[in-house]
Amino acid sequence: MSATATAQSNVTSERVFNFSAGPAVLPVSVLEQLRDEMMCYPGAGASIMELSHRGKVFVEIMEQAQSSLRSLLNVPDTHEVLFLQGGSALQFSMIPCNLLRGSNKTAEYLVTGSWGKKAIAEGRKEGDVTATFDGSTTNYDRVPKAGDYQTSSDAAYLYYCSNETIQGVQFQSEPEAPAGVPLICDASSDFLSRPLDISKYGLIYACAQKNAGPAGVTAVIMRKDLIDKGDAGLPGYLNYQNHYEADSMWNTPPTFAIYVLGKITRWLLDDIGGLEAMKALNEEKSSMVYDVIDANPNFYKGHAQVDCRSKMNVTFNLPSDELLSKFIKEAGEHKLASLAGHRSVGGIRASLYNAMPREGAQALAQFMSDFAAKNG
Amino acid sequence: MSATATAQSNVTSERVFNFSAGPAVLPVSVLEQLRDEMMCYPGAGASIMELSHRGKVFVEIMEQAQSSLRSLLNVPDTHEVLFLQGGSALQFSMIPCNLLRGSNKTAEYLVTGSWGKKAIAEGRKEGDVTATFDGSTTNYDRVPKAGDYQTSSDAAYLYYCSNETIQGVQFQSEPEAPAGVPLICDASSDFLSRPLDISKYGLIYACAQKNAGPAGVTAVIMRKDLIDKGDAGLPGYLNYQNHYEADSMWNTPPTFAIYVLGKITRWLLDDIGGLEAMKALNEEKSSMVYDVIDANPNFYKGHAQVDCRSKMNVTFNLPSDELLSKFIKEAGEHKLASLAGHRSVGGIRASLYNAMPREGAQALAQFMSDFAAKNG
Ligand SMILES: Cc1ncc(COP(=O)(O)O)c(C=O)c1O
Ligand SMILES: Cc1ncc(COP(=O)(O)O)c(C=O)c1O
Ligand SMILES: [Mg+2]
Ligand SMILES: [Mg+2]
Ligand SMILES: [Mg+2]
Ligand SMILES: [Mg+2]
């Protein structure tokens, strides 16, 4: 890696197709805006990073980010949009701290992979929890069907992770929570990849660094009547009510990350045309790759059961460790980068988030076909 | 404010002198690097924001940020450097959660302004706390002298805020803690403005958005033997040990903010020449402004007692609300921006952080002189 800054005009040609699971690929047109506004946000006399969060310019950026997120997802007035720090990992704790602690109820978790496991471990610190479904018996290769689990109508909440980033299993639609039981969703890795009916959720959250922006901001969309449940004795940052009352400015928000998130939501609205269009493109991209897996069943072994396959993270393995290394090496030579699976499961993981262009999925599918033909 | 992106080549000339208290001015040369590396970090094939935090390129950036911070401050091996989310406000809680909760001791706080008040309120949730010094009786216009307070040799820790950003009062040197009592410092608004003897501190921390980078990352420098004191039942994100063991990658760190912080530390080392040089420049800049206040004692009323004046945040008032508004308006016309004091105290606050050039302080001092002559 050379430390010399490359001349701006030709660096775009050096860009690779980046299949990282997060932080992850961003739209080129958004990066161009960030570059062009870096020295001076238009009309502000300073970079966006230098502006007070309480000043007119940033308050407007914050409001635009919130309102374009609301219109993308059709967020009803019953729900608030918060932008927080601490990543999704802090939500693993904030949720039970606010909605379980002191409630004398049990929180139910559908554990379908690594992130659900981490979330339930944090929940356990704050009260009674139970793994209503636990996918570990089949090595987290699927999500439950409606009949596979039973939820108590007295649960504190029903928690699930819509897309397990590491295993590559995804709920195709929301699980159903009994009336009165808030449905809580970790949508970190498929947020904004498809339309959602937000009215079904008590709380849904996503760290930005997969589909919504850079690492450093987490969007939380929460039913307002749940906000008031927290204990005043909680560490202030962990109390949703503080952030709600201060419009996500209880303390200094991560201004640059929110600004980028705002740009991404505008890109989704204006360039992509909304979440139905985004969903169609994501289905097209992931199908290209799954089709190669299915066409070469003796060579590529998909991890997820077919009806639980993730449109975001395609996980599969090769016949041997040698072929796996060779695959990653040769892919790199084709400018297909960051394909190694998570260190906990190995294999290949190709993340095809919103900003991965069709051409990237196409190039990967072609490479996979050729590689299987040569090495199968 | 025009939403049209201004052509890149001439925006620098639109930049104002930005006296914001935070997020705050950044070095132009750093912003230029961020702009030039935005589309593609040299050799990485992607923007820094798109790179996995576990990949070689970002791990190197993280290590460089840690090591240049260590060399700037001469951090001894007894201390660890962590980069966290949640701002300084989360440290208000993490400190007592880890170092007070369950200890049967009392934590002592020197409360010299608004930030100390907020910190002690969070401490109170976790155990016994006492305000060993409370500046409220003189409207927070000073910090205590050694004889002004008595610390118990059995305290959980002695906490203070080295620079109260809102009131503009600053400790000129560390208060002394009894042997065995960890000294804890909120250095959010004067971090890296002068050399420090880190060996004196149990823990010292600073959100980046004043002197060290953009909002979204907080540097915590902590004696290693204190890291292990936390309770395993704490929310995972709030346990220092988790972050220590994972080298600040317990979860996804705010990669872009850390990258910028790394650039700022390099600027301090290479362009400024280290913290002694930075301190001299900061003294020169703040003297220019205080000299005008002292030369016009019937017009400008400084808030802080003279020997407690902050080199970072110069706070003063004018003879009337009309003159205050006029001052802010006319300053704006001279490209001197963000001078209004914090909404809780009013008046003027001129923040002269590291990245404020000498010319900015000079322009402000000249404007203040002229304004007093015309309106006094
Ligand atoms: C589904 C899911 N949940 C939670 C996380 C944790 O997010 P963070 O690292 O921001 O805490 C991730 C990814 O990192 C994720 O993919
Ligand atoms: C001295 C001091 N402490 C704490 C804070 C709070 O920091 P944050 O907003 O990042 O929580 C600030 C400024 O905002 C500050 O100036
Ligand atoms: Mg409450
Ligand atoms: Mg609101
Ligand atoms: Mg411990
Ligand atoms: Mg280390």
Side-chain angles (χ1 to χ4, degrees), chain B residues 109-128:
Chain B
Y109 284 73
L110 305 178
V111 180
T112 57
S114 304
W115 296 111
K117 256 169 79 179
K118 294 203 182 200
I120 196 173
E122 292 295 333
R124 191 164 285 127
K125 296 176 182 173
E126 306 302 332
D128 281 338

Side-chain angles (χ1 to χ4, degrees), chain A residues 207-226:
Chain A
C207 51
Q209 69 264 18
K210 285 99 171 39
N211 262 339
V217 63
T218 299
V220 176
I221 305 177
M222 186 170 183
R223 231 172 59 208
K224 290 177 188 167
D225 66 299
L226 294 175

Side-chain angles (χ1 to χ4, degrees), chain A residues 8 15 26 36 50 85-86, chain B residues 8 15 26 36 50 85-86:
Chain A
Q8 228 174 271
R15 286 177 58 86
L26 294 167
D36 294 346
E50 302 175 291
Q85 294 187 61
Chain B
Q8 224 175 274
R15 286 177 57 86
L26 294 168
D36 294 345
E50 303 175 291
Q85 295 186 61

Side-chain angles (χ1 to χ4, degrees), chain B residues 283-293 358 361-363 365:
Chain B
E283 285 179 352
E284 188 189 336
K285 290 185 296 179
S286 57
S287 291
M288 290 180 197
V289 180
Y290 284 121
D291 285 351
V292 180
I293 292 175
R358 185 185 279 106
Q362 229 151 17

Side-chain angles (χ1 to χ4, degrees), chain A residues 176-360:
Chain A
E176 237 172 281
V181 175
L183 183 66
I184 312 278
C185 180
D186 174 0
S188 296
S189 53
D190 65 0
F191 192 57
L192 304 181
S193 72
R194 57 185 177 183
L196 287 177
D197 180 355
I198 296 294
S199 71
K200 292 186 177 170
Y201 294 89
L203 186 156
I204 178 168
Y205 71 95
C207 51
Q209 69 264 18
K210 285 99 171 39
N211 262 339
V217 63
T218 299
V220 176
I221 305 177
M222 186 170 183
R223 231 172 59 208
K224 290 177 188 167
D225 66 299
L226 294 175
I227 289 175
D228 193 26
K229 304 282 186 214
D231 171 350
L234 282 175
Y237 198 91
L238 272 59
N239 195 329
Y240 289 118
Q241 203 170 4
N242 286 333
H243 299 289
Y244 171 61
E245 286 170 0
D247 246 321
S248 295
M249 300 234 201
W250 182 70
N251 71 336
T252 314
T255 54
F256 186 76
I258 291 169
Y259 153 78
V260 181
L261 184 148
K263 298 267 187 207
I264 302 281
T265 54
R266 286 309 326 166
W267 170 78
L268 282 166
L269 286 165
D270 303 338
D271 296 14
I272 297 295
L275 296 186
E276 279 296 355
M278 191 70 255
K279 179 185 180 187
L281 180 54
N282 285 329
E283 286 178 351
E284 189 189 335
K285 290 185 295 180
S286 57
S287 292
M288 291 179 197
V289 179
Y290 284 121
D291 285 351
V292 179
I293 293 175
D294 292 339
N296 296 276
N298 298 320
F299 193 74
Y300 295 119
K301 298 285 174 209
H303 176 76
Q305 291 188 19
V306 171
D307 58 350
C308 303
R309 281 175 167 174
S310 168
K311 311 283 188 285
M312 297 282 104
N313 313 98
V314 180
T315 51
F316 59 94
N317 218 325
L318 281 90
S320 72
D321 286 352
E322 290 67 40
L323 283 168
L324 180 64
S325 304
K326 193 175 178 206
F327 181 100
I328 293 170
K329 184 170 169 289
E330 292 187 8
E333 290 158 10
H334 286 74
K335 295 201 167 199
L336 306 170
S338 291
L339 283 162
H342 188 271
R343 63 217 142 93
S344 66
V345 299
I348 297 289
R349 172 172 54 172
S351 297
L352 302 168
Y353 295 124
N354 287 351
M356 173 58 65
R358 185 185 278 107
E359 295 69 32

Side-chain angles (χ1 to χ4, degrees), chain A residues 57-278:
Chain A
V57 176
F58 180 74
V59 168
E60 205 173 283
I61 287 171
M62 169 73 109
E63 285 171 358
Q64 283 181 1
Q66 284 169 336
S67 79
S68 53
L69 195 54
R70 293 193 87 97
S71 56
L72 262 177
L73 283 165
N74 265 312
V75 177
D77 285 346
T78 45
H79 286 63
E80 182 69 14
V81 172
L82 303 174
F83 294 132
L84 305 180
Q85 294 187 61
S88 287
L90 187 58
Q91 295 310 307
F92 295 168
S93 294
M94 282 180 68
I95 289 160
C97 280
N98 283 271
L99 300 177
L100 177 59
R101 200 191 263 202
S103 72
N104 288 320
K105 294 189 171 190
T106 297
E108 308 208 9
Y109 285 72
L110 306 177
V111 180
T112 57
S114 304
W115 295 112
K117 257 169 78 178
K118 293 202 180 201
I120 195 172
E122 291 295 333
R124 191 163 285 128
K125 296 177 181 172
E126 305 302 333
D128 280 339
V129 297
T130 183
T132 302
F133 173 83
D134 181 351
S136 66
T137 48
T138 61
N139 197 20
Y140 301 121
D141 68 350
R142 69 179 187 102
V143 302
K145 293 181 185 46
D148 289 347
Y149 61 93
Q150 199 93 47
T151 315
S152 156
S153 61
D154 194 41
Y157 53 77
L158 176 64
Y159 180 106
Y160 78 111
C161 175
S162 52
N163 184 66
E164 281 284 355
T165 323
I166 292 175
Q167 283 78 16
V169 296
Q170 185 176 28
F171 281 81
Q172 309 304 312
S173 62
E174 296 88 0
E176 237 172 281
V181 175
L183 183 66
I184 312 278
C185 180
D186 174 0
S188 296
S189 53
D190 65 0
F191 192 57
L192 304 181
S193 72
R194 57 185 177 183
L196 287 177
D197 180 355
I198 296 294
S199 71
K200 292 186 177 170
Y201 294 89
L203 186 156
I204 178 168
Y205 71 95
C207 51
Q209 69 264 18
K210 285 99 171 39
N211 262 339
V217 63
T218 299
V220 176
I221 305 177
M222 186 170 183
R223 231 172 59 208
K224 290 177 188 167
D225 66 299
L226 294 175
I227 289 175
D228 193 26
K229 304 282 186 214
D231 171 350
L234 282 175
Y237 198 91
L238 272 59
N239 195 329
Y240 289 118
Q241 203 170 4
N242 286 333
H243 299 289
Y244 171 61
E245 286 170 0
D247 246 321
S248 295
M249 300 234 201
W250 182 70
N251 71 336
T252 314
T255 54
F256 186 76
I258 291 169
Y259 153 78
V260 181
L261 184 148
K263 298 267 187 207
I264 302 281
T265 54
R266 286 309 326 166
W267 170 78
L268 282 166
L269 286 165
D270 303 338
D271 296 14
I272 297 295
L275 296 186
E276 279 296 355
M278 191 70 255

